[in-house]
Amino acid sequence: MLVSAIASVALFAAGASAHFRLNYPEPRGVFVAANEVNFCGGYVNAVSNRSTYPLSGGVFTINTGHAGFTVGVLLSTEQNPNSWESFSLNETQTFVRDYAREEGAGTFCIPLDIAGANIPGAVDGANVTIQVVFEGGDGNLYQCADLTLSSSFTTPSSVTCANETVSGHSESSTSTAPSTSSTSGSSGNSGVGQVQYLSGLTAAGSLALAGLAAALL
Ligand SMILES: [Cu+2]
């Protein structure tokens, strides 16, 4: 009885990851895969219980069943960013992290250095919202998280920051710590390092996706 219950939970989790999930920081509202095509995953308004988040040196973690995806992060400094305009300045989308490409599926921990993006208003103590934009072959998908930035806050140790790629029908997977995965030369398990490395090489794709998102305004 208990075993079958656990099995069905696992099955549900696997199905839900067919799109993508934002595991950390905590997204707005309960995950609804069918609503991910909508602004902020279908949750229009900011939550009242914001997550404290590092101004510098933060990370976000996602997991997905899409092998081969592009992910970027928009940021708004509005208290209640409830439209695409909230994530734009001077009609340009406000990227706190440019689009990067990853060829694998699985779980990824991706650096998010908000201070480094030099976005006006994204400073210590500010309330901001990030919107993760994901494209894995079935259209743009969105998840938002409402944050309060802190220069003295670091990623909690309870947050698992590791990459685990899964491929095809194989049940095998590999885990690597981000700090050791940059340019090791091995293929298939270099998630974060690969995303970082490729971020400068996907400018053309970035522009195309930005245009796609802008078209939804
Ligand atoms: Cu999908």
Side-chain angles (χ1 to χ4, degrees):
M1 227 17 209
L2 182 59
V3 171
S4 69
I6 291 172
S8 55
V9 167
L11 192 63
F12 175 78
S17 67
H19 272 334
F20 92 101
R21 287 189 78 142
L22 175 61
N23 295 332
Y24 174 85
E26 188 177 344
R28 287 181 181 177
V30 175
F31 177 75
V32 182
N35 289 342
E36 277 200 299
V37 297
N38 300 318
F39 176 85
C40 284
Y43 292 96
V44 174
N45 294 302
V47 299
S48 55
N49 57 332
R50 292 171 171 273
S51 303
T52 304
Y53 191 85
L55 175 62
S56 303
V59 300
F60 69 104
T61 64
I62 62 171
N63 86 304
T64 182
H66 286 293
F69 64 85
T70 303
V71 66
V73 184
L74 300 170
L75 183 140
S76 174
T77 56
E78 293 184 13
Q79 292 300 298
N80 185 25
N82 53 16
S83 72
W84 289 111
E85 287 182 351
S86 301
F87 290 87
S88 297
L89 280 174
N90 302 320
E91 299 186 355
T92 301
Q93 287 187 303
T94 310
F95 278 93
V96 65
R97 186 180 173 91
D98 287 337
Y99 285 114
R101 176 130 188 110
E102 164 63 46
E103 298 306 329
T107 302
F108 301 95
C109 179
I110 302 169
L112 182 61
D113 185 31
I114 291 179
N118 292 314
I119 296 168
V123 296
D124 187 27
N127 288 340
V128 304
T129 297
I130 58 168
Q131 179 152 209
V132 179
V133 183
F134 177 101
E135 209 290 316
D138 56 2
N140 279 17
L141 304 169
Y142 309 99
Q143 291 280 284
C144 285
D146 300 303
L147 313 173
T148 299
L149 300 179
S150 170
S151 60
S152 60
F153 188 80
T154 55
T155 304
S157 58
S158 58
V159 176
T160 302
C161 187
N163 300 314
E164 181 181 20
T165 55
V166 295
S167 57
H169 298 287
S170 169
E171 292 300 316
S172 67
S173 62
T174 54
S175 295
T176 54
S179 58
T180 62
S181 64
S182 53
T183 53
S184 62
S186 65
S187 61
N189 64 353
S190 54
V192 163
Q194 192 172 33
V195 167
Q196 285 182 310
Y197 177 68
L198 288 177
S199 64
L201 300 178
T202 55
S206 301
L207 291 172
L209 278 168
L212 181 58
L216 297 172
L217 286 172

